[in-house]
Every structure is written in C-alpha cells, then in structure tokens.
C-alpha cells in the first residue's frame, strides 16, 4: 500500500480523473472504472429540469470507493471561489475542494493572486484545499504555507495536450514541497503521466486526454498503468545521466586480443 | 411574490415555503445545494426557510468537469 494522502483522506490510486467532455454518461462511467481512480473531479452547475441527464450526482455517488472532488471552475474571483467551495461541500458532504480560478476563457491560466486569497480563506475555514495553479515554485510554497493540502501545478494549458511544457518548474516545485504535488492539466499521453511520476510528482489529474481519446475506457486504463509504472520507477530510483558512453559488456579479452 | 431563481425572474403564488418552490422547479428528491441571496443554505435550514420578496435563489448540482 502506497497511499496518496490529502489531509485526512487516503487514496490507493494516484490517478485522478476529470468527468468533463465525455460523449455520454456510459462512456464516462466506464472510463472512471477502468482508470481505477478513487477521486473524480466534478463541476457545479445550475439545476435544469429540462436537462436532468446532466446531473451527475446520482450516477457518480453510486460508484463504490470513488470520492467526488468538486471544483470551483466558473469562479471569476476569490469571493466566488469561496462560495463555490461552500456549495461543493454542501453537495458532497466533505471539505475537499479543487480550487480553480481562471477568469480568462482564452488561455484559462489560473489567477495566482485570487487563488492565494481564496486558498487562505478556505484552509482557515477547515477545507482540504487542492489549488490548481501556475507552475510557479514561489506560489507553490506560499500556498503550502497557508495550509493547502497539496498543490496542483499545470503541465500545460487546460485541454491543450501540450504535455509537460513546465517540466523544469515542476522539478523545482517537487524539490521544495512538503505537500503532495499533483500535475493537473495539459497532458495528452500516458508516457507524459509516467514522466511526471518518474520526476517525483505524487499524482496526476487528466480529463481531456481520456475523454477525447478514440477509446476513452482504453485510454483510462493506459493512464492507470502509466501512473503506476512512473511511481514504481521513481521509488526504484532512476540512474544518473552521463556525458559519455559507459559499457555494459566487457570490452577486453575477446577472441585473443 | 417575485423571486429570481437560477438567474430568471419568476413568481410564486400563495405559498412562501422554499420547499414549495423546489417542488415546482422539479427538484423533488434530488440532491442539490441551495444559495439564497449569496449564502449557502443547508438542506435542514431549507426545510424551514420562508421566502421573501425579491429573494435570489440558486439551485445547484454536479456536472462533468475537470
């Protein structure tokens, strides 16, 4: 057992799955199942009696051992994010929240100042705060200091599939963090998830990479294996890089030379 | 009385109970969160809540998201 620990919660999977952008509910539930994720993110939406099928509370809350992690997407500032977190707590009955404030729909970059302000208020109010953030080692430390249970730096822009564009900054965040680091956003392929885990990330969150795949269930399973492989590799310790070749076979005493 | 429900103006006649409004909105037994005038209202408090003229009520649930 190698649990991911977030506040008072433990999870036996290091892959978190988002539930957006799936073609239909059946496909999404199959992907959740095959991902082995123990935590799936959900968004808040106004109730609409004309679109009852969009209400995911009932189908998702029936999944055994899967915790619903509400996000604050749609919040334009810290005040709205705090209210969204309170709504999420009311709906799910727990205080884990993925804090995300990205007011610009063009690039969806998180607002670092509003994120910090909301994180400080929510952590003081007893929430287990998981902030989506730019890959900024200074901000990561500040968020840790105000009581966040993890930090969630982006690999690349949401839904972009650009992979670990921020790898050099993620390394700095991992080196300095005393809370779990969850790479969130931008990943496209399982190999990128494995690379993030080999680097020492504690978990990975993907959504578009699975939802937009040709076979979402198959891709969810592939990500699950990649995250496990990357974690095992990090635990085993990668060899160092060298500038020159180092032989793996003896180069002498062959055929009489 | 006039209310704003999920951003739209509507009228509720003859009853000032929030539970009546929820029934009219088709919520029934669904799990929802309620925000009344920008404050989250617990479901326990919602059972007792009496609506006032111009109250702003948001009824929220969960949807797919990353």
């Amino acid at each position: 057992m190698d649990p991911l620990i977030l506040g008072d919660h433990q999870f036996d999977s290091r892959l978190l799955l988002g539930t957006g952008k799936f073609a239909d509910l059946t496909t999404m539930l199959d992907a959740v199942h095959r991902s082995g994720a123990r935590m799936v993110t959900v968004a808040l939406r106004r109730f609409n009696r004309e679109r009852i099928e969009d209400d995911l509370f009932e189908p998702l809350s029936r999944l055994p051992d899967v915790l619903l992690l509400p996000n604050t997407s749609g919040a334009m500032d810290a005040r709205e994010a705090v209210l969204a977190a309170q709504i999420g707590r009311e709906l799910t009955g727990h205080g884990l929240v993925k804090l995300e404030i990205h007011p610009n729909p063009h690039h969806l970059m998180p607002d670092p100042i509003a994120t910090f302000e909301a994180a400080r208020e929510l952590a003081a109010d007893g929430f287990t705060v998981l902030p989506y953030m730019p890959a900024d080692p200074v901000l990561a430390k500040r968020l840790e200091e105000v009581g966040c249970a993890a930090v969630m730096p982006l690999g690349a822009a949401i839904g972009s599939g650009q992979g670990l564009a921020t790898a050099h900054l993620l390394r700095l965040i991992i080196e300095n963090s005393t809370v779990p680091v969850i790479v969130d956003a931008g990943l496209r392929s399982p190999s990128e998830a494995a690379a993030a885990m080999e680097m020492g990330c504690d978990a990975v969150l993907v959504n578009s990479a699975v939802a937009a795949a040709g076979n979402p269930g198959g891709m969810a399973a592939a990500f699950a294996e990649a995250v496990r492989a990357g974690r095992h590799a990090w635990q085993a310790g990668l060899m160092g890089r060298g500038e020159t070749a180092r032989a793996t076979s003896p180069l002498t005493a062959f055929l009489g030379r | 009385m006039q209310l704003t429900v999920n951003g739209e103006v509507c009228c509720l006649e003859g009853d000032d109970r929030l539970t009546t409004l929820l029934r009219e909105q088709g919520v029934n037994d669904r799990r929802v969160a309620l925000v009344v005038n920008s404050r989250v209202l617990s479901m326990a408090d919602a059972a007792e809540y009496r609506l006032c003229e111009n109250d702003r009520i948001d009824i929220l649930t969960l949807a797919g998201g990353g």
Side-chain angles (χ1 to χ4, degrees), chain B:
Chain B
M1 79 183 83
Q2 184 167 296
L3 307 165
T4 302
V5 181
N6 280 352
E8 294 188 3
V9 175
C10 73
C11 288
L12 185 69
E13 301 298 340
D15 196 339
D16 64 354
R17 282 174 296 187
L18 178 55
T19 48
T20 301
L21 175 70
L22 295 178
R23 195 164 53 245
E24 288 197 359
Q25 291 288 320
V27 171
N28 300 321
D29 293 331
R30 287 184 172 274
R31 179 74 167 267
V32 294
L34 298 167
V35 180
V36 179
N37 301 326
S38 303
R39 286 183 174 273
V40 177
L41 196 67
S42 73
M43 289 311 282
D45 289 341
E48 306 295 323
Y49 189 83
R50 299 286 170 152
L51 294 159
C52 300
E53 188 73 25
N54 296 324
D55 268 354
R56 287 176 291 113
I57 297 107
D58 282 297
I59 308 167
L60 295 121
T61 186
L62 298 180

Side-chain angles (χ1 to χ4, degrees), chain A residues 18-20 41-47 49 52 54-57 68 71 83 86-87 90-91 93 98 100 207, chain B residues 6-7 23-27 30-33 35 38-43 58-66:
Chain A
T19 59
T41 56
V42 285
L44 302 173
R45 178 181 285 187
R46 281 173 166 164
F47 174 77
R49 68 195 308 175
I52 291 291
D54 289 348
D55 181 358
L56 292 187
F57 182 84
L68 304 185
N71 68 32
L83 180 61
Q86 292 167 344
I87 294 166
E90 181 65 23
L91 275 166
K98 180 188 166 189
E100 55 178 307
N207 189 159
Chain B
N6 280 352
R23 195 164 53 245
E24 288 197 359
Q25 291 288 320
V27 171
R30 287 184 172 274
R31 179 74 167 267
V32 294
V35 180
S38 303
R39 286 183 174 273
V40 177
L41 196 67
S42 73
M43 289 311 282
D58 282 297
I59 308 167
L60 295 121
T61 186
L62 298 180

Side-chain angles (χ1 to χ4, degrees), chain A residues 2 4 9 19 79 98 107 111 118 141-142 151 196 229 244 246 248:
Chain A
D2 173 33
L4 171 66
H9 299 259
T19 59
R79 184 184 58 81
K98 180 188 166 189
H107 53 61
D111 179 333
K141 209 64 197 166
R142 296 294 300 273
V151 288
T244 57
R246 292 178 204 166
T248 51

Side-chain angles (χ1 to χ4, degrees), chain A residues 126-177:
Chain A
F127 280 88
T128 301
V129 185
L130 316 176
Y132 172 61
M133 56 168 286
D136 177 343
V138 178
L139 179 62
K141 209 64 197 166
R142 296 294 300 273
L143 289 167
E144 181 186 316
E145 287 166 2
V146 296
C148 290
V151 288
M152 302 181 79
L154 57 87
I158 292 173
S160 69
Q162 293 292 316
L164 294 171
T166 58
H168 61 298
L169 294 165
L170 293 174
R171 284 195 188 88
L172 289 173
I173 293 172
I174 293 164
E175 276 172 25
N176 292 301
S177 184

Side-chain angles (χ1 to χ4, degrees), chain A residues 20-248:
Chain A
K21 293 164 64 172
F22 284 89
D24 55 62
L25 178 64
T26 304
T27 305
M28 187 266 283
L29 292 175
D30 178 58
V32 172
H33 174 67
R34 296 184 68 183
S35 74
R38 294 290 177 251
M39 201 172 357
V40 297
T41 56
V42 285
L44 302 173
R45 178 181 285 187
R46 281 173 166 164
F47 174 77
N48 184 347
R49 68 195 308 175
E50 309 299 327
R51 294 188 61 87
I52 291 291
E53 68 278 9
D54 289 348
D55 181 358
L56 292 187
F57 182 84
E58 207 270 329
L60 283 176
S61 57
R62 269 190 278 129
L63 296 174
D65 304 321
V66 175
L67 184 134
L68 304 185
L69 176 63
N71 68 32
T72 64
S73 182
M76 302 297 279
D77 55 32
R79 184 184 58 81
E80 290 184 3
V82 168
L83 180 61
Q86 292 167 344
I87 294 166
R89 180 169 61 182
E90 181 65 23
L91 275 166
T92 61
H94 64 72
L96 272 141
V97 60
K98 180 188 166 189
L99 173 63
E100 55 178 307
I101 307 173
H102 38 70
N104 187 318
H106 177 57
H107 53 61
L108 297 177
M109 283 293 135
D111 179 333
I113 296 165
T115 300
F116 176 79
E117 290 171 351
R120 181 168 53 188
E121 184 172 341
L122 289 169
D125 192 25
F127 280 88
T128 301
V129 185
L130 316 176
Y132 172 61
M133 56 168 286
D136 177 343
V138 178
L139 179 62
K141 209 64 197 166
R142 296 294 300 273
L143 289 167
E144 181 186 316
E145 287 166 2
V146 296
C148 290
V151 288
M152 302 181 79
L154 57 87
I158 292 173
S160 69
Q162 293 292 316
L164 294 171
T166 58
H168 61 298
L169 294 165
L170 293 174
R171 284 195 188 88
L172 289 173
I173 293 172
I174 293 164
E175 276 172 25
N176 292 301
S177 184
T178 60
V179 295
V181 178
I182 303 172
V183 170
D184 178 12
L187 301 192
R188 175 171 176 265
S189 68
S191 61
E192 292 159 356
M197 297 302 291
E198 287 172 1
M199 204 186 287
C201 289
D202 296 275
V204 164
L205 194 161
V206 290
N207 189 159
S208 302
V210 171
N215 173 354
M219 189 59 77
F223 266 99
E225 289 185 30
V227 167
R228 275 196 297 273
R231 178 68 177 178
H232 292 326
W234 177 77
Q235 288 173 321
L238 300 176
M239 65 166 277
R241 282 199 169 93
E243 293 294 320
T244 57
R246 292 178 204 166
T248 51

Side-chain angles (χ1 to χ4, degrees), chain A residues 6-17:
Chain A
L6 300 173
D8 296 331
H9 299 259
Q10 287 196 16
F11 303 92
D12 65 6
S13 168
R14 291 175 179 272
L15 175 61
L16 287 70
L17 188 65

